[in-house]
Amino acid sequence: MLDTVPSADVRTTRVVSSDQLRDLLADTGATVRDSVRLSELTTLRVGGPSVLAECATSEALVATVQALDAAGIAVLLVAGGSNLLIDDAGFDGVVVLVGTTGVELGTDGVVAEAGANWDEVVAATVAAGLGGLECLSGIPGSAGATPVQNVGAYGVEVASLLRRVRLLDRKTGDVRWAEPAELGFGYRTSVLKHSDDAVVLAVEFALDPSGMSAPLRYGELAKALGAGDGETRPVAQVRTEVLRLRAGKGMVLDPADHDTWSAGSFFTNPVVTEEQLPRVLASIAAHVGDDVKVPTYPAPDGTKLSAGWLIERAGFAKGFPGDTAAARLSTKHTLALTNRGTATASDIVALARTVRAGVQERFGVTLEPEPVTVGIDL
């Protein structure tokens, strides 16, 4: 799942009253609200209160962030809220809500402002017969987060389609377009993910005007479409199938389905080095048997394992720890930690720690959380 914020900016901690804040931001174009529950802005639906400044234009966003930085006030950027785990105490600073939603389609690409709903961007490209993003259908969150996390699904990553990213440099105040080579893309990461120095304002993708999908590389999806490895299919057909597969795993937002009250995949798939691999595989075999096939995938830095597979084999079944728990693993997908309606951030954290410790103890593999945490140390 996606959001536009790599992490909370905690370099400054000056606290101001709401009246002072309104005066400070009077000329920026932001709309200021007091004591907003951040649980209202996140798909996990947890998080305490904060002052919020909503920015409906890129100009307002730039001016607001610059004004807060100059005043020494801590900033937390939020857009789709789908990759955030915020402490129950809230955020002691100003939450800047990225409300920019513009989408501009071209003959061979799309430009989307940072706050644009990601699935709506994908849907627009599919409707226009532009291929490339269809495998990324149904992912909750904002367009601006896609390069931050190098978002990927069903064999496609943002890095392979990105043309450029428009950034605000918070140190210099410059606004410019950055090329993909500058962003240090890796598996679910980029240089933007671990730094507060830049704010994503817009993204541009190069797409295929033929109406055909990106080459299908993900076995489950290719099989569902009756396609061989590397074959293509019409973009609308691929989008429909991706949405069906994701919905079956509780990975398409539905307010009535608590399995979707989550941050999506809570842990990234671990990558072990070739030196570590024999030890890890031996540990897995000792617990599940030599005859069980372990899903492995080649990765640039070693071999990628399936976090969901490890979680389940470590004894954490779908729905763990049971029907009465406020925070549980999804009943459809063990990689999602879900809020069953009354969970707090503390409940989510306790479940995450239990699962991570169990996988570490059983297999010697440390799972890394994917969501951005605010005021929380996992």
Side-chain angles (χ1 to χ4, degrees):
M1 291 191 178
L2 320 179
D3 208 335
T4 58
V5 54
S7 61
D9 177 3
V10 293
R11 71 186 91 179
T12 50
T13 56
R14 181 187 167 202
V15 178
V16 296
S17 69
S18 56
D19 287 340
Q20 290 175 310
L21 185 63
R22 284 186 172 85
D23 290 341
L24 176 67
L25 302 181
D27 298 324
T28 66
T31 300
V32 177
R33 287 190 281 154
D34 298 326
S35 300
V36 174
R37 297 289 304 181
L38 299 181
S39 57
E40 300 173 8
L41 305 178
T42 64
T43 56
L44 264 169
R45 305 191 186 209
V46 299
S50 179
V51 177
L52 183 140
E54 184 172 1
C55 300
T57 67
S58 292
E59 293 76 16
L61 178 57
V62 170
T64 299
V65 171
Q66 290 180 329
L68 293 170
D69 284 349
I73 299 171
V75 173
L76 173 64
L77 291 163
V78 175
S82 59
N83 201 46
L84 278 174
L85 175 54
I86 302 175
D87 187 64
D88 297 315
F91 180 67
D92 191 14
V94 175
V95 171
V96 176
L97 183 62
V98 183
T100 56
T101 59
V103 178
E104 183 179 347
L105 293 165
T107 58
D108 64 349
V110 63
V111 178
E113 290 187 307
N117 178 283
W118 174 247
D119 191 55
E120 292 178 5
V121 173
V122 176
T125 65
V126 169
L130 297 172
L133 299 179
E134 58 286 329
C135 286
L136 305 180
S137 293
I139 300 176
S142 64
T146 59
V148 175
Q149 296 172 235
N150 188 19
V151 166
Y154 294 103
V156 173
E157 285 188 334
V158 158
S160 64
L161 300 161
L162 190 70
R163 186 175 281 160
R164 55 182 184 163
V165 179
R166 190 166 180 250
L167 299 173
L168 163 66
D169 186 323
R170 293 173 71 177
K171 289 183 175 180
T172 67
D174 293 338
V175 174
R176 68 180 183 90
W177 287 97
E179 303 298 320
E182 301 177 56
L183 302 180
F185 286 120
Y187 171 61
R188 300 296 178 269
T189 191
S190 72
V191 297
L192 300 169
K193 185 172 182 177
H194 304 289
S195 171
D196 299 305
D197 292 340
V199 177
V200 176
L201 303 176
V203 291
E204 182 174 358
F205 296 97
L207 303 177
D208 181 357
S210 71
M212 301 302 289
S213 70
L216 298 167
R217 304 292 186 192
Y218 195 85
E220 180 186 25
L221 178 60
K223 181 179 179 181
L225 291 164
D229 182 55
E231 291 184 356
T232 63
R233 290 291 185 268
V235 289
Q237 182 182 356
V238 175
R239 173 173 166 78
T240 296
E241 194 57 36
V242 167
L243 289 173
R244 186 189 71 81
L245 290 171
R246 287 185 63 85
K249 300 172 184 176
M251 304 297 278
V252 177
L253 289 182
D254 179 355
D257 182 0
H258 284 126
D259 277 334
T260 74
W261 290 31
S262 76
S265 298
F266 195 89
F267 297 103
T268 59
N269 290 322
V271 176
V272 298
T273 66
E274 295 309 311
E275 182 181 12
Q276 296 169 327
L277 186 61
R279 174 186 58 78
V280 170
L281 292 179
S283 180
I284 293 173
H287 289 283
V288 303
D290 293 326
D291 57 339
V292 176
K293 180 176 174 55
V294 180
T296 60
Y297 312 92
D301 299 322
T303 297
K304 185 191 302 180
L305 305 176
S306 167
W309 189 93
L310 292 171
I311 289 169
E312 196 156 358
R313 298 317 184 278
F316 302 104
K318 296 171 185 176
F320 176 88
D323 293 346
T324 61
R328 293 158 48 190
L329 297 184
S330 167
T331 64
K332 303 181 182 74
H333 180 27
T334 57
L335 199 47
L337 277 61
T338 66
N339 177 355
R340 309 316 292 188
T342 61
T344 63
S346 297
D347 294 327
I348 301 293
V349 169
L351 177 58
R353 287 174 176 167
T354 296
V355 170
R356 186 173 63 177
V359 171
Q360 172 65 44
E361 180 181 359
R362 183 64 58 90
F363 303 126
V365 175
T366 301
L367 297 180
E368 296 296 334
E370 187 167 334
V372 172
T373 59
V374 179
I376 290 169
D377 183 8
L378 283 175

